[in-house]
Amino acid sequence: MVKPGSGSKAAPPADDTSLTRVRPTVTQRLSEEIEARLELAREAYRYDLAAARVHASDALRLAQAGGKFAEMARAANLISDVCWHMGEVGRALEYGQLALDSARTAKDRSLEAACLTTLGMVTSLMGDLDRAEELLNQSLILSQAERDDQASATTLAMLSSLLLQRSNFAGAMSCGQRSLELFVKLGDTYRAGAARLKIGTIYATQGDWNTASDYLSRALVEAELSGSLVNSLVCRDNLGEAYFRLGKFEEARTQLEAALQQSEATSDMGAKSDILGNLGELHFRQGKLALARDCYEQNIRMALQMENIPELLEGYCRMAELQLALGEVSDAEQTVHQAMELADRPGLRIEAARVWRMMGNLCVAKGCCKEAIGWYRKSISSLDDIGCNYELGRVHLDCGRALTELGRIVSAHKHLHRAEEIFQSLGTPQEQDAVTAALLLGSPGNRPVLLLNRLSGICLRANTFEELAMGVLRQLSVVLGFDSGKIVDDAGRTFAFGNTGSDDSLVHRQKDRLEVTQSSVYCPFGKPGREQSFLYLRWATKVPLRADRMLWRAVGNVIAVGWERLSSLSAPEMTRTDSVVSGQTVVGAETSLKDVVAVVRNVAPTRACVLIRGESGTGKELIARLIHSQSKRADKPFVAINCAAIPEGLLESELFGIEKGTATGVTERKGKLELADTGTVFLDEIGDMSLTLQAKLLRVLEEREFERVGGRTPIRVDIRVIAATNKNLERAITEGRFREDLYYRLNVVSVNLPPLRERKEDIPRLVAHFVGTLSREHGLQSKQISQVTMARLCSYDWPGNIRELRNAVERIVILGEADAAIPAIAAYETAGTQSAATCSLNGLKRGFPDQE
C-alpha cells in the first residue's frame, strides 16, 4: 500500500461499501482454513491419532489468532479427545477445560454439550467419577434441550462407559442401547458400530462372552467398512479376549496380534496397553510364561504412564498370578501390595474384588488358607450384587480350592458348584474343566459318580454329534487324563481328541464287546452291527479305573443315550436307518426323481464338484452318498461335514486339522479334508460357512492343498467335493455373504431335489419303505396302513419333507394309526426323546446302588 505524500499519487480512500466487502472475505477465508484443518483432523482421527493432533493444533492456533471461540472449542475438544487416547491424560484435561471455556464464551450450547462430554470422559480417567458423571449429565441435558440427537447419542455412549466403570451394568446397557438407536436413526454407521462395540464390552465385562462376540463381530465389520482403525483395533482386542475365554485360542491370537499391529499405526497407547494385557493372558493360558511376562511388563508400564488406575490394577493382578505360577511368592507379594494401595479408590469395585482374590491366592501360596478364605469372601461380597459373573465364578472356584485344602469338603463343594453354574451359563470350557478337577481333588472316592453325572449332562444338552463327542472326550480327559482318544460311530463319523495318529482303534471295529487292557479301553456303544460305534482311549502308562468294567459299560450306555437322542432329532438323510435307499435304488427313482437319478448316473464316474439344492429334509446327503457309491471312489472314505452344526471357531480346525505345538498341550490332529484323501467330502449347508473359510476352501478346490491350523507345511489331498444347501446362494452373493468365485467352482453340476409336497405320488412307496424299516428296527411286526390313514398322509403338505413323514410313520408303527395325529408329531417327538433319555440315565444310576 502506497503511503500519502510519498511522491506517488495516493489511492482514493475506500468508501464504507468497499470496506464492508473486503473484511468479511478475510474472515471467511480464515474460517474456511480452520474448518479445512479440522476436517483433516477428523479424518485422521480414524487411522492416525498423532496426525489428527497436528491438524487440530494448527486449527487451534489459527482460531486463537482470529479470536474465533467456537472454532477454538472444536479444535481444543478434538485435541483433548486425542490426548486421552494417546495416554496424555493431564494434557487432555487441560485442553478439555479450554474447549469448555471457549464454547461458553461463544454461547454455543450444542458445542458446550460436546465439550462437557469429552471433559467428563477425561475426568473419569483421572478417577473423579462423581465429577465425571455430573459433567456428562449436564451435557445430556443441554443436548436434549437443543434437540441435538447426534450430541445426545455421543453423550449417552460416554455415560455408558462411565456407568460400566462404576459397575452399574443395567444403567450402562440402557445408555448404550439408547445411543445405538439414535446413531442408527441418524444413519451414522461409524458411530453405530462404536455403540455396538460399547454394548459388546458391557457383555464382556459381565462374562457373557458369546453375546459379546456377536456384538463385537458386527462392530468390527462396521469399523472396517468405515475405515476406522481405532474402532477396529478395540473391536479386535475385545474379540480376542472373548475368544480365549471361550477356549478359541487360535482365533484369539489372530485378533489380538492384528489389534497390536493396528495400535502401532494409530499411536493409541490406551488400546495398546489393554491389548498387551489380553495377549499376555492368552500366552499365560497356553503356557508361554516368558512371553506372558513380557506383555504384562509393557502393560503395567503403559498404565503407569497414562495413570490409568483400572488398567494398572488388572495388570498387577495378572502379573501376580504369573509370579505365583512360577513360584515367585515374594515377588507376587510385592505386586499384590502395590495393587492394594490403589484398590480402595472409589468406583473400582470389580478391580478391587480382583485384588482381594489375588490376596487370597497369595495367602494360599504362603500356606495361610484360613486367612485366604476371608479375602475370598470379601471379594464375593463385593461382586455378588453387581452381576459380574465371570469374576464371581473365579472367586468361588479359588475359594472352593482353599476350603478343600482345609478339609472342609461340604463348604468347598458349595463354592465349586456355584462356580460350575456360572461357567456353564457363560460357556467357558477351561473354567468348567478346572471346576471338575477341583471337585475330583476333594472327593476322589466319588470319581465314578461324578464322571457319570458329567457325561449325562453333556449327553442331554448337546445339540450336535460334534458337541456331544468332543464334550465327552474332554470330560474324560479331565477325569482320566488319557493320551489319545476318539469316538467313531456306525455312520463313519470320527471325532478325535489328542494324538491319535498311530492308534490301533480300528482293529476293534468289528467287535461288539468291551476290552480293557493295561494301556487302552475299547468301549462299544449303541446297537451291535457290522461296523460298531465305539469309544477308544489310550494311555502311555496305565489305565485309571482299569478294573471297573461296570463303570466302562455305564459310560458306553450314557453315550449311547446321547447318540440315540441326536439321531432321532437329525435329518433322515444323516442316518443310515432313515435312508430311502434299498441297495442303490432311490424311492421315486422312476417317477419324480427320474431326472435327479439320471444326473447322478452321469456325474458319478467323474471327479466334478456337485451342488445339491433342496429344502431341509429332502434327502441331500442321501444323494451325495449315492454319487459316491457309484463313483470310482466308492471304496474310499466318505466324510460328511455339517457347516451349520459346527461352531465357526471349530469348523476351520475340523476341516484342516491342527498342527502340533499350535498351543500348549495341543498335539497333531488331522482334519476332515485330510482324512477324506482319495475319497469324497460332503459339505452340508455350505451357505452357512463364513467368508474366511470360503476363501480357504476355494484354495483347496483350485490348488488341492492347504495348511493345518498353526501349520506352515502345505498338505496335498485328492478329494471330490459335493456341497449342499437349502439357501438361495445367488441372493447370498448379492448380499455379500457368499463368494461368487466359490459358487461357480462348486456349481459345476447342480442337482435340485423337489420338496415332498411336489412329489406326493411317492408318498405311498415311502410310507411302505419306512413301515418295513422301522418295524424291523423296533422289533415289531410289520403293519398294513389303512386307506384312510394313507389318504391323510397323502393330503398333508409335509413342510418338514421326508424327515417329517418318517417321524409320522414311526409313530404309527409304535402307537397304531388311531393315536397318530399328524399335528402332534413334532411336540411328541421332542417330549418323547427327552423322556426316553432321562429314563435311560435314571436306569444307569440304579445300576450302581453302591455309588448313590
Side-chain angles (χ1 to χ4, degrees):
M1 180 178 178
V2 181
K3 296 181 180 179
S6 62
S8 299
K9 187 175 180 181
D15 59 14
D16 292 342
T17 306
S18 63
L19 285 173
T20 304
R21 225 175 14 246
V22 172
R23 286 172 184 163
T25 302
V26 173
T27 302
Q28 183 178 356
R29 287 177 181 172
L30 180 61
S31 297
E32 289 175 352
E33 179 67 18
I34 294 170
E35 189 55 43
R37 294 185 183 276
L38 283 174
E39 187 59 35
L40 287 172
R42 294 188 196 100
E43 184 64 29
Y45 179 89
R46 299 189 178 193
Y47 59 87
D48 188 345
L49 293 174
R53 180 163 64 177
V54 170
H55 293 307
S57 296
D58 289 343
L60 179 60
R61 282 193 294 272
L62 289 172
Q64 287 174 325
K68 293 186 168 294
F69 290 100
E71 287 81 355
M72 283 172 58
R74 283 196 288 271
N77 193 49
L78 185 52
I79 296 171
S80 176
D81 192 357
V82 169
C83 283
W84 76 260
H85 270 296
M86 296 179 69
E88 302 174 10
V89 182
R91 297 194 68 183
L93 191 63
E94 177 186 341
Y95 279 105
Q97 191 60 55
L98 173 61
L100 181 59
D101 293 341
S102 300
R104 286 173 172 168
T105 302
K107 297 182 179 179
D108 188 327
R109 291 170 63 86
S110 292
L111 188 53
E112 181 182 351
C115 295
L116 282 166
T117 297
T118 304
L119 188 59
M121 198 65 210
V122 175
T123 304
S124 72
L125 293 175
M126 298 291 288
D128 190 351
L129 302 187
D130 291 335
R131 173 62 177 160
E133 189 168 356
E134 179 186 343
L135 290 168
L136 290 173
N137 282 323
Q138 289 179 22
S139 172
L140 188 60
I141 292 170
L142 278 175
S143 58
Q144 288 177 340
E146 293 295 307
R147 300 183 183 278
D148 188 338
D149 286 346
Q150 186 79 37
S152 295
T154 303
T155 305
L156 284 166
M158 294 296 185
L159 196 54
S160 176
S161 297
L162 175 65
L163 293 173
L164 177 61
Q165 192 174 343
R166 305 198 81 159
S167 304
N168 182 352
F169 296 117
M173 185 64 73
S174 174
C175 290
Q177 293 286 4
R178 288 163 62 195
S179 172
L180 176 59
E181 290 169 5
L182 285 174
F183 284 133
V184 170
K185 173 185 172 183
L186 293 166
D188 192 334
T189 306
Y190 167 66
R191 289 182 174 81
R196 284 194 180 88
L197 165 59
K198 183 61 59 184
I199 294 170
T201 303
I202 296 170
Y203 280 115
T205 304
Q206 293 178 286
D208 189 349
W209 307 109
N210 284 299
T211 306
S213 61
D214 290 341
Y215 273 94
L216 293 169
S217 297
R218 184 169 178 184
L220 177 59
V221 172
E222 290 172 332
E224 292 186 336
L225 287 175
S226 66
S228 172
L229 282 183
V230 175
N231 280 359
S232 176
L233 74 89
V234 176
C235 286
R236 291 186 183 278
D237 176 29
N238 285 279
L239 259 180
E241 182 180 8
Y243 282 149
F244 77 66
R245 301 291 186 199
L246 293 169
K248 303 176 181 179
F249 291 147
E250 184 62 26
E251 293 91 332
R253 183 183 63 80
T254 299
Q255 295 294 347
L256 291 172
E257 288 181 352
L260 187 61
Q261 185 176 359
Q262 288 179 327
S263 70
E264 298 287 354
T266 60
S267 305
D268 192 334
M269 184 182 292
K272 183 177 181 180
S273 173
D274 193 73
I275 294 164
L276 285 166
N278 286 331
L279 192 57
E281 188 165 351
L282 174 62
H283 289 321
F284 178 78
R285 284 171 173 258
Q286 294 183 300
K288 303 173 183 178
L289 303 187
L291 291 174
R293 186 192 293 275
D294 181 59
C295 289
Y296 289 164
E297 287 175 349
Q298 293 184 64
N299 168 244
I300 291 171
R301 186 166 56 250
M302 290 180 179
L304 280 168
Q305 183 178 339
M306 294 185 299
E307 300 180 10
N308 188 335
I309 304 303
E311 184 69 25
L312 183 60
L313 286 173
E314 187 169 11
Y316 280 146
C317 289
R318 283 169 163 166
M319 179 62 82
E321 187 175 24
L322 172 63
Q323 290 165 336
L324 288 175
L326 291 169
E328 302 169 355
V329 179
S330 59
D331 291 341
E333 185 171 11
Q334 182 179 353
T335 302
V336 172
H337 282 297
Q338 285 178 314
M340 288 289 289
E341 293 175 1
L342 302 171
D344 60 350
R345 297 196 179 191
L348 299 174
R349 291 182 64 184
I350 296 175
E351 291 80 3
R354 286 195 191 109
V355 174
W356 296 331
R357 180 175 68 85
M358 286 311 304
M359 179 60 83
N361 290 351
L362 176 64
C363 291
V364 170
K366 294 170 66 177
C368 305
C369 290
K370 288 185 178 180
E371 185 180 347
I373 301 302
W375 288 109
Y376 291 140
R377 286 175 175 165
K378 183 176 183 180
S379 179
I380 291 171
S381 177
S382 177
L383 294 171
D384 247 340
D385 61 342
I386 61 175
C388 193
N389 289 338
Y390 180 75
E391 290 297 332
L392 184 60
R394 295 182 73 182
V395 186
H396 278 294
L397 173 57
D398 289 343
C399 187
R401 287 168 171 164
L403 287 165
T404 299
E405 289 285 330
L406 292 171
R408 296 162 58 182
I409 303 302
V410 175
S411 297
H413 279 199
K414 288 180 180 179
H415 286 280
L416 292 173
H417 286 307
R418 176 66 180 126
E420 184 178 38
E421 291 174 6
I422 292 171
F423 294 139
Q424 282 183 350
S425 69
L426 299 177
T428 52
Q430 283 201 322
E431 284 75 8
Q432 292 178 51
D433 291 347
V435 172
T436 298
L439 286 167
L440 288 172
L441 183 65
S443 53
N446 289 329
R447 179 177 291 190
V449 175
L450 181 64
L451 175 60
L452 289 177
N453 286 340
R454 291 288 186 276
L455 295 181
S456 299
I458 292 169
C459 290
L460 288 174
R461 288 194 304 269
N463 295 315
T464 66
F465 291 110
E466 167 81 15
E467 183 182 347
L468 170 57
M470 298 311 293
V472 166
L473 289 170
R474 193 182 77 244
Q475 194 65 228
L476 289 171
S477 176
V478 172
V479 177
L480 303 177
F482 59 82
D483 297 290
S484 63
K486 64 168 60 176
I487 290 177
V488 181
D489 71 0
D490 61 356
R493 285 178 286 242
T494 300
F495 306 94
F497 192 97
N499 182 16
T500 59
S502 60
D503 70 51
D504 56 351
S505 60
L506 293 179
V507 302
H508 299 283
R509 190 67 187 270
Q510 307 293 329
K511 302 180 180 179
D512 57 6
R513 61 187 177 85
L514 175 69
E515 289 190 0
V516 182
T517 70
Q518 288 290 330
S519 60
S520 67
V521 170
Y522 170 81
C523 180
F525 65 87
K527 299 172 183 175
R530 183 176 58 84
E531 292 185 345
Q532 179 65 52
S533 301
F534 65 88
L535 162 72
Y536 180 80
L537 306 178
R538 189 180 63 178
W539 287 261
T541 54
K542 189 177 179 182
V543 180
L545 305 176
R546 184 175 59 82
D548 296 287
R549 300 178 66 85
M550 187 177 292
L551 172 65
W552 287 113
R553 290 193 184 95
V555 169
N557 290 337
V558 171
I559 299 173
V561 169
W563 221 265
E564 184 179 356
R565 183 179 73 87
L566 288 179
S567 296
S568 67
L569 295 175
S570 299
E573 65 269 23
M574 296 298 289
T575 60
R576 296 189 176 196
T577 56
D578 292 341
S579 171
V580 288
V581 175
S582 178
Q584 293 300 324
T585 303
V586 178
V587 175
E590 301 301 320
T591 53
S592 61
L593 297 183
K594 183 177 180 180
D595 294 337
V596 170
V597 173
V599 172
V600 168
R601 187 179 298 114
N602 290 330
V603 75
T606 73
R607 61 178 299 166
C609 291
V610 180
L611 180 62
I612 305 173
R613 314 180 76 154
E615 295 178 5
S616 179
T618 51
K620 296 186 287 294
E621 185 173 345
L622 169 67
I623 298 302
R625 288 186 180 275
L626 186 62
I627 294 172
H628 174 73
S629 68
Q630 295 185 6
S631 72
K632 298 175 183 178
R633 301 169 183 257
D635 60 338
K636 305 299 182 182
F638 178 91
V639 179
I641 304 168
N642 191 325
C643 301
I646 303 174
E648 181 181 343
L650 297 177
L651 185 56
E652 183 175 5
S653 60
E654 187 70 13
L655 285 171
F656 303 108
I658 298 179
E659 194 66 43
K660 180 179 180 180
T662 300
T664 302
V666 172
T667 56
E668 176 183 291
R669 177 162 66 85
K670 292 183 179 180
K672 291 292 182 67
L673 298 182
E674 195 172 350
L675 292 172
D677 191 22
T678 71
T680 303
V681 173
F682 174 61
L683 298 174
D684 198 11
E685 302 306 335
I686 188 71
D688 290 304
M689 182 178 285
S690 70
L691 289 170
T692 302
L693 285 184
Q694 288 176 33
K696 294 183 178 181
L697 176 61
L698 181 62
R699 181 195 170 193
V700 175
L701 294 175
E702 293 179 343
E703 301 177 13
R704 302 289 170 179
E705 67 176 24
F706 61 91
E707 291 90 33
R708 292 177 183 157
V709 175
R712 296 293 182 268
T713 304
I715 298 173
R716 295 197 63 80
V717 289
D718 174 22
I719 56 173
R720 180 188 196 167
V721 174
I722 301 175
T725 183
N726 60 7
K727 289 182 167 53
N728 186 329
L729 293 187
E730 292 80 7
R731 181 183 301 168
I733 292 170
T734 304
E735 295 172 357
R737 293 181 289 105
F738 199 85
R739 292 179 64 103
E740 188 173 13
D741 45 6
L742 178 61
Y743 171 78
Y744 289 120
R745 192 69 180 78
L746 291 172
N747 196 28
V748 177
V749 176
S750 183
V751 176
N752 295 295
L753 296 182
L756 189 54
R757 61 183 173 275
E758 294 178 10
R759 45 180 296 213
K760 288 189 174 182
E761 65 274 17
D762 291 329
I763 289 179
R765 295 182 63 193
L766 286 166
V767 170
H769 171 78
F770 286 137
V771 167
T773 301
L774 292 168
S775 296
R776 289 191 299 271
E777 182 178 329
H778 291 290
L780 301 173
Q781 186 175 358
S782 183
K783 301 177 180 179
Q784 184 73 28
I785 302 297
S786 69
Q787 292 184 355
V788 174
T789 299
M790 185 64 74
R792 292 184 64 203
L793 295 175
C794 291
S795 65
Y796 190 57
D797 277 341
W798 303 106
N801 294 297
I802 298 173
R803 177 195 298 119
E804 188 179 7
L805 174 63
R806 181 192 181 279
N807 291 333
V809 174
E810 184 171 20
R811 187 175 183 187
I812 291 172
V813 168
I814 295 172
L815 299 180
E817 297 180 34
D819 296 316
I822 292 173
I825 291 172
Y828 172 83
E829 178 187 18
T830 301
T833 301
Q834 293 175 347
S835 298
T838 303
C839 290
S840 299
L841 291 171
N842 289 336
L844 285 176
K845 293 178 182 177
R846 286 195 295 274
F848 292 91
D850 56 318
Q851 302 288 357
E852 286 290 344

